[in-house]
Amino acid sequence: MKLTLRVWRQKNADAPGAMAAYEVDGVSPDMSFLEMLDTLNEDLIVQGEDPVAFDHDCREGICGACSLVINGDAHGPERTTACQLHMRSFRDGDTIDVEPWRAAAFPVVRDLVVDRTALDRIIQSGGYVTAPTGSAPDAHAVAVPKPDADHAFVHAECIGCGACVAACPNGSASLFTAAKVNHLNVLPQGAPERESRVLDMVAQMDAEGFGGCTLAGECATACPKGIPLQAITTMNKEWLRAARTSKR
Amino acid sequence: MSYLDYGTGSRIADSKAPQGPIAERWDRRRFTAKLVNPANRRKHTVIVVGTGLAGASAGATLAEQGYRVLQFCYQDSPRRAHSIAAQGGINAAKNYRNDGDSVHRLFYDTVKGGDFRARESNVHRLAEISVQIIDQCVAQGVPFAREYGGLLDTRSFGGVQVSRTFYARGQTGQQLLLGAYQALSRQIAAGTVEMHPRTEMLDLVVVDGRARGIVARDLVSGEIGTYMADAVVLASGGYGNVFYLSTNAMNSNATAVWRAHRRGAYFANPCFTQIHPTCIPRTGTHQSKLTLMSESLRNDGRIWVPKKAGDPRAAVDIPEDERDYYLERIYPSFGNLVPRDIASRAAKNVCDEGRGVGPGGQGVYLDFADAIARLGRDKVAEQYGNLFEMYERITAENPYEVPMRIYPAVHYTMGGLWVDYDLQTTVPGLFAIGEANFSDHGANRLGASALMQGLADGYFVLPATVNDYLAGAPAVGDADASHPAAVAALDETRERLARLLAVQGDRTPDSFHREIGELMWEYCGMARTEVGLRKALQRIPEIRAEFWRRIKVPGTGAEFNQALEKANRVVDYLELAELMCLDALHRSESCGGHFREESRTPEGEAERKDDEFSYAAAWEFTAPGQAPLLHKEDLVFEYVHPTRRSYT
Ligand SMILES: Cc1cc2nc3c(=O)[nH]c(=O)nc-3n(C[C@H](O)[C@H](O)[C@H](O)COP(=O)(O)OP(=O)(O)OC[C@H]3O[C@@H](n4cnc5c(N)ncnc54)[C@H](O)[C@@H]3O)c2cc1C
Ligand code: FES
């Protein structure tokens, strides 16, 4: 296949950016989207041009590094990560736009690479169970009902890629935050910090400059792991409950 | 003098493992370890390179103990370390199933699985600690799979006959890593861990014979700086990416361990590489990595090829009696769950016989038809759903309908920096944990044991032994970044990167990586011969010379520059590859994943030569391009008597 790519190029956070067009030839349908970008970059390097910078690592859809807006959709047309998107989803002669995540809280580092450390700071504010090493009781000391364990797992699957933020018209990180709140708050191990967790994480999310949630639902549509929109409603309930009863 | 004329140095007489009954050694070591007064701990700084299972767990635990931790990773977030991709599970001798498991059995299985090339004391400690790991992770909220009664579920992995593998669907590594990452995040918020993401260690700083810091590059600004500490911990993962195509994350690399090796840390058993039997076969030259299909699939999937060579029929059209379920046939008692090295070689053998399936005949079937008939599609989906999806996305074939096609691929490196019982390298104050060290898996790692080892090292072993080192280490503050050794390391790093940028040749970093990778796969992969290894050893210096003539790195060092990052990693692969081949050449026996064609039993299985090779080969760096020095650590087996490994 032969494709035209229009790619966002931006030298660094302070430089202005613009779309640049490239032709890529010899694309096989078995290639992943990132392998297609690899071939473009190989050509650019040999020509002495700067290759297109993009984040990636596992290329298995689990590390959450890859972060491309493809033809206007976070991670592109399929419900998966950009690294697991294959070129068989495109046709010979297509023109494809490739842009970085766009959100106030995700400044561009270079080209398609953005700074997502705001998500780490949300976790740091309360997305954990305080269980210092060595203090744990036997794993079977507390049985966890299977439905609760499954609920926790479904939300723990979040890979922290930030597609939810990129897809949201408000640039909100509610789905990301809600995923962690749902994962930990349903478990007996997470119960003691249930209230402080949701209050602190929501406060941090706001402090980072993420937008407010209007339940537009774009986040859950873009999420490569299928974190349900319902998670946000549950988080909001947890927040109300905590705000009412919190001793703070 | 040629690189092949390596000298033999002194034997490593003391691995510092305590004496006495093996089950008491770890207790004993912990009791004799010196402690640092809690009030004094915050005066000590420990550098941890890496945020995978080993690094994140170590950083969090050291900070909980009161140390000041400087932590590094090359990704934008510590949560993205390669451990995140581990699929199948983590072993622990909990014996919750009452199926005859015990610490001793896990110890025995691991020593045997490693083909008697691991240190008994370390392995026993690993088995002991395994039970605490599960407790710790559950306390953190790791959502392991559970049964309807609310208790933890387990499954079986290769090379064992009990069910001791705990799992979280096909995302066990992700869930364990997020647990450790969250513990680390708590410490970052508390100000006890200073996290440096997108910062890559490029050299080790050794002052007066002790590890006192690292040189690292801020990957965003390009700035190269020195970070000083009282001890340095490398948790930088394995070096499987020497082979270019592997199941490792794209940016996993060998730089941290290789630079430490060049500064004096011995490198042990570099040729011990694990080739995983169940990966998705490659489809073309564009391929950038290979994708693992978890070993857990071998619980329910059956592996087969057609009996007839070159059978053109589709899998469904081949009747049952014309299929060869070769693992079940050759190894009836372990069947599809033989260890990885054995399963991989068997797959290679049937493909070499012309019975392989799929493009180029480089594949075998992993078939779930029986499992789906027995358990129902829903149950199969619940257990393996995400793996099936991943398979379909990559191959466009639906494994519920047609069998998967799989082929072996480079997956894990048992070799790594030599460490003593305390996980300390031969450079005092430099520790190596997780896949970066060589310690517990001998010549072959059993499935679900890497996660166990990474967390054992990080949560439990290192925090105890670092204490002992720091209690006796020289006073804090006598080495800062202006020390001549630190300045020299910084200058050398700057010079190396400047050189890479200056060549301005005509070949990309990736093209060299691919070339060295193909050479290694051909001559230092699943089957190795003296002739092949000699050929590789001749070729590697030539590729290296060509690299320095023709490499092209656009841009500058003072910016975000992924081509420069890559080129610098390839520099180290080109040196490490040579040591791997030399190690493989010198070890003229077969053991575990190291299969020398010249050394096999009449049945074609790996034949160890215990009289000659019952040792860990720890290589000392001498000078660039010069032959290294071999130090042998003799392996003593007091509890598990070496026998021919049999899984039939
Ligand atoms: C696909 C796959 C599936 C697997 N499944 C299983 C399984 O089911 N069970 C099991 O037990 N094992 C499994 N393994 C093996 C296991 O995942 C790894 O061995 C283990 O996770 C390694 O952990 P680690 O902490 O040592 O290193 P890693 O997780 O590799 O982490 C390395 C860290 O070091 C950092 N780093 C590296 N170099 C530098 C540098 N120069 N400067 C700064 N930072 C650096 C990286 O940023 C990263 O944070 C699997 C492996 C793969 C590839
Ligand atoms: S590269 Fe890891 S999720 Fe895409």
Side-chain angles (χ1 to χ4, degrees), chain B residues 590-641:
Chain B
S590 295
C591 58
H594 170 63
F595 190 68
R596 281 289 299 266
E597 299 264 10
E598 301 91 343
S599 182
R600 48 176 153 182
T601 64
E603 304 83 53
E605 302 284 357
E607 178 143 70
R608 287 198 326 267
K609 296 180 186 162
D610 288 340
D611 294 348
E612 270 179 87
F613 290 106
S614 188
Y615 62 80
W619 298 91
E620 179 182 356
F621 184 82
T622 54
Q626 297 292 306
L629 211 54
L630 172 64
H631 299 267
K632 297 177 182 174
E633 179 199 337
D634 289 320
L635 297 170
V636 183
F637 294 93
E638 298 170 80
Y639 292 86
V640 188
H641 189 66

Side-chain angles (χ1 to χ4, degrees), chain B residues 232-274:
Chain B
V232 177
V233 180
L234 298 187
S236 53
Y239 52 91
N241 273 352
V242 169
F243 291 86
Y244 187 71
L245 287 182
S246 83
T247 61
N248 289 9
M250 293 293 289
N251 300 300
S252 294
N253 68 87
T255 292
V257 289
W258 187 253
R259 291 288 144 187
H261 173 61
R262 292 185 55 134
R263 295 272 174 208
Y266 294 0
F267 207 119
N269 302 333
C271 80
F272 286 175
T273 316
Q274 177 160 84

Side-chain angles (χ1 to χ4, degrees), chain A residues 34 55-66 75 81-84 159:
Chain A
L34 302 189
D55 264 325
H56 67 103
D57 206 13
C58 73
R59 296 202 175 187
E60 292 189 5
I62 192 75
C63 76
C66 62
H75 289 306
T81 53
C83 60
Q84 289 287 291
I159 58 174

